[in-house]
Amino acid sequence: MSYVDEVLERVIAKNPAEPEFHQAVKEVLNSLRPVIEANEEVYRKEALLERLTEPDRQFKFRVPWVDDKGQVQVNTGYRVQFNNSIGPYKGGLRLHPSVNLGIIKFLGFEQIFKNSLTGLPIGGGKGGSDFDPKGKSDREIMAFCQSFMTELCKYIGADTDVPAGDIGTGAREIGYMFGQFKRIRGTYEGVLTGKGLTYGGSLARTEATGYGLLYFTEEMLKSNGSDIKGKTVCVSGSGNVAIYATEKAQQLGAKVVTVSDSTGWVYDPEGIDVALLKEVKEVKRARLTEYAAARPSAQYHEGRGVWTIKCDIALPCATQNELLLEDAKALVANGCMAVAEGANMPTTLEATEYLQQNKVLFAPGKAANAGGVATSALEMSQNSERLSWTFEEVDSKLKNIMVNIFHNLDDAAKRYGKEGDYVAGANIAGFEKVANAMMAQGVC
Ligand code: NDP
């Protein structure tokens, strides 16, 4: 049996009932086969893949808090510190009822390669809780965040592990967590990113994942003889990534015609009104029905259906496994030329394969959405030198990083005879740097 297959079997046996983690490891290791096979003897002797697929450590803890009725609630908190061979652990905190250890491990594993691809010195980690922020009062959110940080603060620090936002964790939650960290540890350090601008946050961090997705997509299209201007784009999600992907796509001359949330979606043939979307989602924290009610050109539909709309470019920006094989078939039938993942692993393995077989340009999330974590690393740099850079400075560094990521993975794919396979290219380019660092640091 090949080394890759052996390790895949081992991961599945050792981590039962964690399908998302299995899926992420399978996707990465399968596309690394040419690299592993070329160095099989050394990697096997060093147990490199076994070490890479086993987190450095993982924490699971109780998060008790009191709701507005005086009732004590109990959630579970997680932090997985996956790999710090190229820098301190870095990765977001997801607050969503679906969160479990397997989901955090899949996200932490992906984060290793994504962070490596940015070219910046950051390792891979991820955390979160099954807490559902929806419908909670500000006081309840604060009570949860303080309790969560009371435990988490034992394991993180500016030079060890620097969490950030993710689904359900935005500026408000980061603020409450930062306040509690400071209170308990008594140090003012860049222990979290995505902070508010008045206390160490970076300009352009809010926009970074969505903007970065578009800088990457623009470069991918350019390098394939096309252009984003004038294209019709379908976006899913209506959170941080989706909003700023929509904004940048429109700034670059494309027309975004859909957005969605977990209950329904909007088709707006005249183009999404970003100011209205921000008002509904960022200010009122309301459902998309409010967007449709305020916008005569928009049609609201219950359930899912974004990918049935004809488009040139699809940008899944909501959550994992939201673009299925049937959606990939609909996109191909409608002439879609590119899919770039704003979310983490939004496309299933079968859907990815179908898109690639049908010559759709496919940009995996670990490359295309790396602008968020890259700008978090820029926030860490600013915190370390106790300076703040301008929006333009951060945005131009972000653009350079995204353009470099595209060319690094494009080159890696070509080196291994997989031209145009950006999934393989991203995994290979991300892996090479981490593998070299791990080998150089000995058995640890
Ligand atoms: P937000 O919480 O701001 O938004 C998430 C959006 O996705 C919301 O519109 C939400 O709808 C929708 N959504 C969430 N879960 C589901 C579900 N199960 N089914 C359908 N829709 C769902 O999160 P972000 O925009 O920050 O993150 C989106 C994705 O991007 C995630 O995969 C995240 O890991 C990834 N990502 C985020 C980065 C960042 O900087 N924020 C960086 C890199 C990746 P509703 O409001 O109804 O829940």
Side-chain angles (χ1 to χ4, degrees):
M1 194 187 282
S2 78
Y3 182 37
V4 165
D5 290 320
E6 243 173 58
V7 174
L8 282 176
E9 267 195 10
R10 183 177 189 273
V11 166
I12 292 167
K14 277 196 79 175
N15 303 273
E18 293 180 356
E20 291 86 359
F21 180 51
H22 302 167
Q23 182 182 343
V25 175
K26 256 187 225 164
E27 185 253 306
V28 171
L29 295 195
N30 276 333
S31 67
L32 288 177
R33 278 179 197 276
V35 190
I36 308 292
E37 278 158 17
N39 301 282
E40 178 149 345
E41 205 181 318
V42 180
Y43 287 165
R44 197 191 271 274
K45 184 144 189 277
E46 293 283 331
L48 189 85
L49 296 184
E50 289 87 334
R51 288 194 276 145
L52 193 63
T53 51
E54 181 88 37
D56 288 355
R57 63 194 68 80
Q58 49 197 45
F59 305 102
K60 181 177 177 195
F61 50 92
R62 182 174 67 236
V63 189
W65 56 280
V66 183
D67 72 16
D68 285 346
K69 296 191 187 104
Q71 174 65 48
V72 176
Q73 302 286 344
V74 179
N75 288 101
T76 307
Y78 302 90
R79 185 73 186 167
V80 173
Q81 297 180 334
F82 224 115
N83 187 301
N84 68 352
S85 50
I86 60 171
Y89 306 104
K90 182 95 200 81
L93 297 170
R94 177 171 294 190
L95 302 182
H96 193 273
S98 63
V99 163
N100 56 42
L101 185 61
I103 288 190
I104 299 298
K105 278 164 71 179
F106 121 62
L107 291 163
F109 183 69
E110 290 275 299
Q111 198 83 43
I112 304 170
F113 307 98
K114 180 191 302 193
N115 292 2
S116 165
L117 278 173
T118 65
L120 301 168
I122 38 180
K126 197 83 187 184
S129 171
D130 58 357
F131 172 76
D132 186 359
K134 276 205 200 91
K136 303 288 191 299
S137 69
D138 268 1
R139 197 210 58 80
E140 288 175 322
I141 298 280
M142 183 170 73
F144 168 82
C145 290
Q146 291 183 336
S147 179
F148 181 77
M149 184 51 85
T150 300
E151 181 63 23
L152 186 70
C153 76
K154 298 170 189 167
Y155 317 118
I156 60 176
D159 292 318
T160 47
D161 182 356
V162 185
D166 190 65
I167 291 180
T169 307
R172 173 181 58 172
E173 292 74 18
I174 291 288
Y176 292 147
M177 290 182 195
F178 185 71
Q180 185 72 352
F181 178 89
K182 210 160 46 76
R183 218 169 140 202
I184 298 179
R185 295 274 294 264
T187 58
Y188 202 105
E189 56 180 285
V191 68
L192 291 162
T193 56
K195 298 187 290 300
L197 294 177
T198 52
Y199 60 95
S202 173
L203 285 161
R205 172 62 188 91
T206 306
E207 294 83 355
T209 309
Y211 278 23
L213 172 66
L214 268 297
Y215 294 145
F216 184 97
T217 306
E218 191 186 25
E219 193 63 20
M220 176 173 79
L221 291 180
K222 214 195 288 173
S223 152
N224 284 278
S226 188
D227 185 5
I228 201 153
K229 207 162 173 211
K231 298 288 187 297
T232 301
V233 179
C234 280
V235 167
S236 67
S238 50
N240 173 265
V241 181
I243 290 173
Y244 293 95
T246 302
E247 182 168 279
K248 184 50 77 179
Q250 298 194 341
Q251 285 173 9
L252 295 174
K255 192 207 268 185
V256 177
V257 293
T258 63
V259 284
S260 67
D261 63 20
S262 49
T263 47
W265 58 286
V266 158
Y267 173 49
D268 192 341
E270 287 190 5
I272 295 293
D273 177 339
V274 179
L276 175 61
L277 184 64
K278 285 184 185 175
E279 172 71 19
V280 171
K281 285 292 173 184
E282 293 184 336
V283 182
K284 295 188 181 157
R285 297 179 189 269
R287 313 308 307 167
L288 282 174
T289 41
E290 288 217 15
Y291 175 94
R295 176 100 170 145
S297 56
Q299 303 157 18
Y300 177 79
H301 303 269
E302 285 291 328
R304 51 194 305 285
V306 163
W307 313 123
T308 59
I309 299 295
K310 185 173 168 52
C311 65
D312 304 304
I313 300 168
L315 303 176
C317 297
T319 192
Q320 67 272 6
N321 293 330
E322 50 149 325
L323 199 162
L324 313 175
L325 181 57
E326 73 211 48
D327 302 318
K329 288 184 177 167
L331 287 170
V332 169
N334 279 330
C336 175
M337 61 179 295
V339 174
E341 297 185 320
N344 285 314
M345 210 169 73
T347 316
T348 61
L349 286 177
E350 307 81 65
T352 303
E353 276 162 21
Y354 186 84
L355 292 168
Q356 289 183 317
Q357 280 156 12
N358 284 278
K359 305 281 173 248
V360 175
L361 301 174
F362 182 83
K366 68 170 69 72
N369 72 29
V373 75
T375 307
S376 277
L378 300 180
E379 183 174 330
M380 288 165 72
S381 301
Q382 294 170 77
N383 291 167
S384 296
E385 59 176 28
R386 302 203 194 283
L387 289 174
S388 299
W389 305 338
T390 61
F391 186 97
E392 290 68 30
E393 205 174 343
V394 180
D395 190 38
S396 95
K397 286 189 193 328
L398 168 65
K399 188 166 183 187
N400 277 338
I401 290 169
M402 298 313 295
V403 168
N404 282 340
I405 292 177
F406 173 76
H407 289 290
N408 283 343
L409 64 86
D410 191 34
D411 290 347
K414 285 177 182 154
R415 263 193 285 125
Y416 284 90
K418 291 187 165 262
E419 182 160 0
D421 182 346
Y422 302 133
V423 174
N427 288 331
I428 293 168
F431 169 80
E432 283 179 335
K433 190 171 155 196
V434 174
N436 286 342
M438 285 174 73
M439 306 273 275
Q441 291 168 22
V443 179
C444 59

